[in-house]
Amino acid sequence: MPGRNLRARMAAALAIAVASSGGSSFAEEGLWTFDAFPSEAVRQSYGVDVDKPFLDRLRLGSGRLSSGCSAGFVSAEGLIQTNHHCVLDCIQQLTPSGVDPLVTPVLAPKLEDEQSCPGLTMDVLQEITDVTDEMAAATNGKEGEAFGSARDAARDAIEERCLAGEADRVCEVVSLYQGGQYKLYRYRTFDDLRMVLGVEGDVGSFGGDPDNFNFPRYALDVAFLRAWHDDRPVATPDHFRWRSDPIEEGELLFVAGSPGETSRLWTVQRIAFVRDQTAPFWLTLWAELRGRLTVFATQGPEESRIASQALYDVENWFKGWLGERMAIVPPEVMADLAAREKELRRRIDADPKLAAATKGAFEALEQIEAEHSRTFYPFRLVEDGMWGNSDALDYGRTLLRAAEDAGRDDKGEWRAEPLEVDAWVTDEDRVEPRLDELRLGFWLSKVREYLTTDDPLVRRILGDESPEGLAARVVKDTKLGDAAMRRKLVDGGARAVMESDDPMLVFLRGFDSEARALDEHYAKVIVAGREREYGRIARARFALDGDRVYPDATGTPRVSYGTAAGWTEPSGRVVPYATRFEGLSRRATGAIPYKLAPLWEKALPSLDPKVILNVATTNDTVGGNSGSPVLDREGRVVGAMFDGNFASLGGTYFFDPEQNRSVIVAATAVEEALLRVYRLERIVAELHK
Amino acid sequence: MPGRNLRARMAAALAIAVASSGGSSFAEEGLWTFDAFPSEAVRQSYGVDVDKPFLDRLRLGSGRLSSGCSAGFVSAEGLIQTNHHCVLDCIQQLTPSGVDPLVTPVLAPKLEDEQSCPGLTMDVLQEITDVTDEMAAATNGKEGEAFGSARDAARDAIEERCLAGEADRVCEVVSLYQGGQYKLYRYRTFDDLRMVLGVEGDVGSFGGDPDNFNFPRYALDVAFLRAWHDDRPVATPDHFRWRSDPIEEGELLFVAGSPGETSRLWTVQRIAFVRDQTAPFWLTLWAELRGRLTVFATQGPEESRIASQALYDVENWFKGWLGERMAIVPPEVMADLAAREKELRRRIDADPKLAAATKGAFEALEQIEAEHSRTFYPFRLVEDGMWGNSDALDYGRTLLRAAEDAGRDDKGEWRAEPLEVDAWVTDEDRVEPRLDELRLGFWLSKVREYLTTDDPLVRRILGDESPEGLAARVVKDTKLGDAAMRRKLVDGGARAVMESDDPMLVFLRGFDSEARALDEHYAKVIVAGREREYGRIARARFALDGDRVYPDATGTPRVSYGTAAGWTEPSGRVVPYATRFEGLSRRATGAIPYKLAPLWEKALPSLDPKVILNVATTNDTVGGNSGSPVLDREGRVVGAMFDGNFASLGGTYFFDPEQNRSVIVAATAVEEALLRVYRLERIVAELHK
């Protein structure tokens, strides 16, 4: 799932206030916490006993990568399996200049060849403690801002106590069921991860955009890292054993990872708004930007390099929105969601105490969504969505707001003390002016298109210029792409920023107060309003069902269970549960994106054509699960989850057991590749130790 | 309304089977036929007597252009007023090589300078005769194919009789209310139209895409033609007098023209399908193609020229779909449409005879729309939407199908007799291979994206090639862009086409039988099914309401009435009813598309700033109405209709009296321009004769 982490980040940005619980009666639905797994249901369906020791092994063997993915230990010497697309940044950093990571792998023939991935870490969940009572005691009787402050103070105290000064520890108080439950999650952090094998892009992402979120699939989306400490591999007794036997159709499988975000208890009105407005808006925007980037990239190798990451992101976002939207378009799906909402309201109303506690919540949400609808376009266009279209604009906007926040001194002069900004603002980074110009010109043209030329805010933004002309001018002449200039502005404080004649800053100063007002309205009216009302509903739901239902995903460790299984498309087409090397041979026509990396072109004819490569499973997973170890009933690793099929994109809103499939790269293919393509006998030996 | 005719054509392609009548209680709604105008309602509301002589003058003064627009006579010597965008083709043909029609007008200082527009004609409605009985007699008791054949034979006989061998006559049997009524429309054709004034593109389309379907508007979208015959101007006693006094806010206005197509009695299910599937599908496709064309066009002046018409079309389609979709997104709109449908069914069910005649019709439509939904993507992608993406492909497909239809001889050999094809296939025309390659590569990439790489039809189409690679190959090597080669193939008959190794023909032969099967399924199951069922409903409706309701637009002459009026946006913004030259001066910043042509840059400062330029009116108009004369209560022409505001795009489905506005170019501005910009005193004198 190339960029599932990106999808997750985007979903997070759009779906900040999420409903708390999304239980249902579907057999294999569920993003279960490690301390509330439905073992009885699994025992009844599969005759398998998922006891605490088994769950502990899943928990201690799996982890959360700082890249937004999941991963698992597969040897006692700190060997980690994850996805290729989860460590793309590291692969690009470790690939020597002049070498193309699409066709050349990063691999370490010997242990001492393993190189560190800068900034990459993995957290492994050590302990879960219920702190609901302590949190409740601290916030009892408090409301509004006092409630928020007390809650934050209690959380900070619990986390501080948990940390106990340990360097390799991470502690988080996690709010589940939207405040229905608070749990302290204590992790052990591994902060020196070294690259053992990062496969070639033309293998890890084989099939590119057409195959993304599709199955049958033929990608070896795998990477191996190793946790080191003090220049030695870390001992990891809690690891998964490697299974060389192929995955069998119908066999029970567990996925242990950290799914990012789901929205399974949004009101029907809010989901209909996504169907009718949010999704079509982003889809048409990404489609047009994709078109611009596609032709830009064909102009030459330098243009291709400049546009590649942006194009990849946009294609991934587009397909993600397309799948989410397609899932909620069928009238019967909306009718089903409406029936669930009605049933929940009936159950709440049947309990006088719960009815009183949630009185007016649904009605308030209706008002909030109407207000959201009213301000959707200006907020998305001028504030929210304008970020990310130009690095120089992002720098400028961040500096400008830091300056505004610093404010003026007693004499009414802008302050000259150095600004407080995050490190990324002053770090060295490569800015591509041509990409900035293309994206900013595009974005400003959409601002004018949707809000119209006659809108006063559009007039403030564009003045007498065309969108493309304005973008070209400010991008060409701005100095904000230079880290030294940014540091100079930070050091010069608010005064330097507010008095700068840098054209990007001049441009932004012309309308930033309006943009910030839109942001503040969104945060205070829309987001805060949703949190308050969804929270009331979620607590009622938790009172009704407790943890018999799972909480919505929140980027914390979960387990799902399912089976290896194909499916039947609504068109009647039957999709088998697995693909094999023979299928990869047929698909590798040489036409991009079906072009194999050279090592594979050479090796593939000699590989066993029957070896299973990718497998579809019924496990309930979403963005963030990429790289999750997939375990059999004995807890042995049989693959790594890396994508879902197209229907899985509907998983944001509901789980469809007939159509929703996770997609995994099978250990069988990985082992074959390690031995016969990459000649990493030492790793295969380690897996079998 | 740049390209309203294109919009109409597109709507027509997508909306072949239209419901028959869309009456309502809204005050100024209605696309009325000349023989069933609601004069009593106008008398009651405005105290104006719209009698038969008045309606006859409107009918005989207005006409339908072969470019898909409307027009009106404005002098006794054949002078015609229409829109600039209605005669773009002619302007481009009459503009000398090396001259840019964006900045240079086509104008005839003297009568003898007026040049013919090749192929352009105008039809003026002379007589309407009710032939319902004759048609009914011919088809009485017949069903299925026999019904269709009898209906066609009766129609042909009536039209033949009407033509009576007259060269300047056009006769059409028009089906109104979906066969509830048949009328014979007899027209007089004017077939030598000469250009008097075609304004510069930077004036006629001032404001470009951002201002298209928007108001306030500042475009002089006007052109003057003259009808000639035997090398002399035609005498046109039935013309509109010119009014120099400005349009007053609130005054009654009539629009006489030929609106293209409306869909105001589609079932709610079908409109919801447009909202959920059809519109988002086309919107995302046009958005991406627009992005590709936009960047392609920035590569240089030659690329800009190559892409300009395609980009214009795509932007116009995009905005059209956007407006249509936005109109039907609000839940309250869909609820209103559902309530109307329910009320119609209630009234039908209350009459046993009508209930029996329409029994099962709504249920059958439900099944047909479900089937349409099932086959929507393959049909649109592989058949319907693939047309128009490559001139060479369109030629090839047309030749191939003519060859298949010619068939084999007794020996099983493809026939060698010359093929029967329309003239456009063998006419000289300029093909742009780079544009063909861009669009075909784009289209094939969408075929794969939506149907997926694993679809058997996609595999037949692409083989082992990438969409872009295949497009580049067949476009580069095909000879079908050469008219001589096409004539050679036509002359060589089916045998030449089927045995040709032209790569485009080889490519098309690989999947054309599947594409034709999709087309046939659409025609026989979807379109025919809709015609049958909507026809039954429409006849019941006609039985209930007769011609107290107006029939849906069908590209035939209609009258609408309304008033000059601004409106209040849902946001609260008040939009005045008129714009003036002073507004044009402010808007003409010089940044494209707000750049004026040189003559105007020079003249504008000396024009009276208070002269009214464009006016919004409450008249009910749709695509096809472009160029319609706008008349005051005395039948004097005060402008030409050329666009609608954004809300007017919802006019396909319903008329919203509060938001829907037509946009006209005012006679006041036109007269000022004729005198002081174009120095056409002879025309002004003629207007005032």
Side-chain angles (χ1 to χ4, degrees), chain B residues 105-435:
Chain B
V106 177
L107 57 80
K110 298 191 295 291
L111 183 69
E112 51 269 35
D113 298 327
E114 297 177 7
Q115 294 175 266
S116 276
C117 288
L120 191 65
T121 63
M122 176 160 123
D123 299 336
V124 175
L125 181 57
Q126 303 295 312
E127 195 177 31
I128 302 176
T129 316
D130 194 329
V131 294
T132 307
D133 290 346
E134 188 172 351
M135 292 290 290
T139 56
N140 212 5
K142 297 197 167 61
E143 287 198 4
E145 281 192 29
F147 172 90
S149 307
R151 183 197 56 195
D152 293 351
R155 186 172 55 202
D156 291 350
I158 295 170
E159 291 177 355
E160 192 67 29
R161 194 173 67 218
C162 161
L163 281 172
E166 299 282 347
D168 67 346
R169 193 171 278 189
V170 166
C171 296
E172 284 172 3
V173 172
V174 177
S175 164
L176 298 171
Y177 307 99
Q178 198 96 12
Q181 221 180 36
Y182 289 95
K183 297 277 175 98
L184 174 64
Y185 275 44
R186 178 166 64 78
Y187 301 89
R188 176 177 173 193
T189 290
F190 299 86
D191 64 359
D192 181 5
L193 305 184
R194 302 193 182 179
M195 184 67 70
V196 177
L197 170 65
V199 301
E200 311 91 313
D202 283 347
V203 177
S205 297
F206 181 81
D209 177 69
D211 280 6
N212 191 16
F213 297 117
N214 265 314
F215 193 86
R217 186 68 166 276
Y218 305 86
L220 198 88
D221 192 356
V222 76
F224 285 92
L225 307 168
R226 187 186 305 281
W228 288 62
H229 190 65
D230 283 343
D231 245 3
R232 280 198 309 271
V234 176
T236 46
D238 297 310
H239 66 272
F240 299 115
R241 279 183 298 137
W242 188 260
R243 178 177 125 185
S244 299
D245 293 336
I247 297 169
E248 283 174 33
E249 186 165 10
E251 78 161 293
L252 176 65
L253 297 171
F254 299 90
V255 173
S258 296
E261 190 114 20
T262 52
S263 313
R264 296 185 183 174
L265 204 69
W266 280 14
T267 60
V268 172
Q269 180 197 19
R270 190 166 170 196
I271 296 175
F273 188 80
V274 172
R275 177 195 66 188
D276 291 343
Q277 300 274 21
T278 315
F281 173 73
W282 290 114
L283 280 167
T284 48
L285 258 57
W286 299 145
E288 186 174 346
L289 181 56
R290 178 190 194 180
R292 291 197 186 199
L293 289 166
T294 299
V295 172
F296 178 85
T298 61
Q299 293 176 326
E302 175 64 3
E303 285 84 356
S304 173
R305 184 193 65 75
I306 291 173
S308 65
Q309 184 66 43
L311 188 54
Y312 173 92
D313 290 349
V314 163
E315 287 183 338
N316 201 46
W317 297 338
F318 179 85
K319 200 169 245 186
W321 275 116
L322 191 67
E324 270 194 31
R325 188 171 186 284
M326 290 291 198
I328 52 178
V329 151
E332 61 274 19
V333 167
M334 292 301 274
D336 183 51
L337 294 172
R340 288 197 206 182
E341 183 172 311
K342 200 174 159 190
E343 170 63 9
L344 174 63
R345 295 183 71 165
R346 189 196 60 72
R347 291 173 67 207
I348 290 174
D349 288 344
D351 179 326
K353 207 175 132 189
L354 296 180
T358 58
K359 190 170 152 54
F362 283 98
E363 294 74 10
L365 282 172
E366 247 178 67
Q367 293 304 313
I368 290 164
E369 295 312 323
E371 176 64 12
H372 176 236
S373 170
R374 204 184 61 75
T375 52
F376 178 81
Y377 289 98
F379 171 67
R380 294 296 169 199
L381 287 160
V382 177
E383 172 57 24
D384 172 61
M386 196 176 278
W387 292 96
N389 287 294
S390 150
D391 289 334
L393 184 142
D394 289 354
Y395 288 133
R397 199 175 239 194
T398 305
L399 289 169
L400 185 57
R401 293 185 182 184
E404 286 163 356
D405 292 345
R408 297 173 188 267
D409 62 20
D410 296 342
K411 298 181 199 140
E413 301 282 330
W414 288 103
R415 293 187 185 278
E417 294 81 17
L419 296 173
E420 287 188 20
V421 292
D422 290 339
W424 67 269
V425 178
T426 49
D427 283 353
E428 294 287 344
D429 203 1
R430 184 164 183 173
V431 173
E432 300 288 357
R434 292 177 65 193
L435 184 63

Side-chain angles (χ1 to χ4, degrees), chain A residues 210 276-277 284 287-288 290-292 299 318 325-326 377 446 448-449 453-454 464 466 587 589 591 594, chain B residues 210 276 284 287-288 290-292 299 318 325-326 377 446 448-449 453-454 464 466 587 589 591 594:
Chain A
D276 291 344
Q277 301 273 21
T284 49
E288 187 174 346
R290 180 189 190 179
R292 292 197 184 198
Q299 294 177 328
F318 179 86
R325 188 171 186 285
M326 291 292 196
Y377 289 98
K446 296 302 104 176
R448 182 176 70 182
E449 178 168 311
T453 300
D454 299 292
D464 284 348
S466 71
R587 207 174 192 82
T589 58
Y594 298 114
Chain B
D276 291 343
T284 48
E288 186 174 346
R290 178 190 194 180
R292 291 197 186 199
Q299 293 176 326
F318 179 85
R325 188 171 186 284
M326 290 291 198
Y377 289 98
K446 298 301 104 177
R448 182 176 70 183
E449 178 168 311
T453 301
D454 299 291
D464 284 349
S466 71
R587 207 174 191 82
T589 58
Y594 298 114

Side-chain angles (χ1 to χ4, degrees), chain A residues 69-89:
Chain A
C69 283
S70 302
F73 285 117
V74 287
S75 87
E77 291 91 44
L79 191 66
I80 295 165
Q81 181 185 241
T82 184
N83 295 154
H84 166 261
H85 80 264
C86 293
V87 294
L88 265 185
D89 266 359

Side-chain angles (χ1 to χ4, degrees), chain A residues 106-316:
Chain A
V106 177
L107 58 78
K110 297 191 295 292
L111 183 69
E112 50 271 35
D113 299 327
E114 297 176 8
Q115 294 175 268
S116 275
C117 288
L120 191 65
T121 62
M122 177 162 124
D123 298 336
V124 175
L125 180 57
Q126 302 295 312
E127 193 178 30
I128 301 176
T129 315
D130 194 329
V131 293
T132 308
D133 290 346
E134 188 172 351
M135 292 291 289
T139 57
N140 212 5
K142 298 197 166 62
E143 285 197 7
E145 281 193 28
F147 173 89
S149 308
R151 184 197 57 196
D152 293 351
R155 186 173 55 202
D156 291 350
I158 293 169
E159 290 177 355
E160 191 67 30
R161 195 174 66 217
C162 161
L163 282 172
E166 298 283 344
D168 67 347
R169 193 171 280 190
V170 166
C171 295
E172 285 173 4
V173 171
V174 177
S175 164
L176 299 171
Y177 306 99
Q178 199 94 14
Q181 222 181 37
Y182 289 96
K183 297 277 175 98
L184 173 64
Y185 276 43
R186 178 166 63 79
Y187 301 89
R188 177 177 172 192
T189 290
F190 297 87
D191 64 359
D192 181 4
L193 305 185
R194 302 193 182 180
M195 186 67 72
V196 177
L197 170 65
V199 301
E200 312 89 314
D202 282 348
V203 176
S205 298
F206 181 82
D209 177 68
D211 281 7
N212 191 17
F213 297 117
N214 265 313
F215 194 84
R217 187 70 166 275
Y218 305 87
L220 198 87
D221 191 356
V222 75
F224 285 94
L225 306 168
R226 188 186 305 281
W228 287 63
H229 189 67
D230 282 345
D231 245 3
R232 279 198 310 268
V234 176
T236 47
D238 296 310
H239 66 274
F240 299 115
R241 279 182 299 138
W242 187 261
R243 180 178 123 183
S244 299
D245 293 336
I247 296 169
E248 284 174 34
E249 187 164 12
E251 78 161 293
L252 177 66
L253 297 171
F254 300 90
V255 172
S258 295
E261 191 113 20
T262 52
S263 313
R264 295 186 183 172
L265 205 70
W266 281 13
T267 61
V268 172
Q269 180 197 18
R270 189 168 172 194
I271 295 175
F273 188 81
V274 172
R275 176 194 67 187
D276 291 344
Q277 301 273 21
T278 315
F281 173 73
W282 289 115
L283 280 167
T284 49
L285 259 57
W286 298 146
E288 187 174 346
L289 181 56
R290 180 189 190 179
R292 292 197 184 198
L293 289 167
T294 298
V295 172
F296 178 84
T298 61
Q299 294 177 328
E302 174 65 3
E303 285 84 356
S304 172
R305 183 193 65 75
I306 290 174
S308 64
Q309 183 66 43
L311 188 52
Y312 173 93
D313 289 349
V314 163
E315 289 184 337
N316 200 47

Side-chain angles (χ1 to χ4, degrees), chain B residues 605-659:
Chain B
S606 68
L607 301 185
D608 178 356
K610 295 295 177 198
V611 166
I612 289 181
L613 173 54
N614 292 166
V615 171
T617 84
T618 64
N619 295 73
D620 187 358
T621 68
V622 300
N625 265 121
S626 280
S628 297
V630 180
L631 300 321
D632 69 6
R633 60 178 63 201
E634 294 175 28
R636 296 177 301 178
V637 67
V638 295
M641 190 264 168
F642 77 99
D643 202 0
N645 66 354
F646 195 67
S648 78
L649 290 161
T652 302
Y653 304 106
F654 59 89
F655 181 81
D656 176 352
E658 302 203 344
Q659 297 291 319

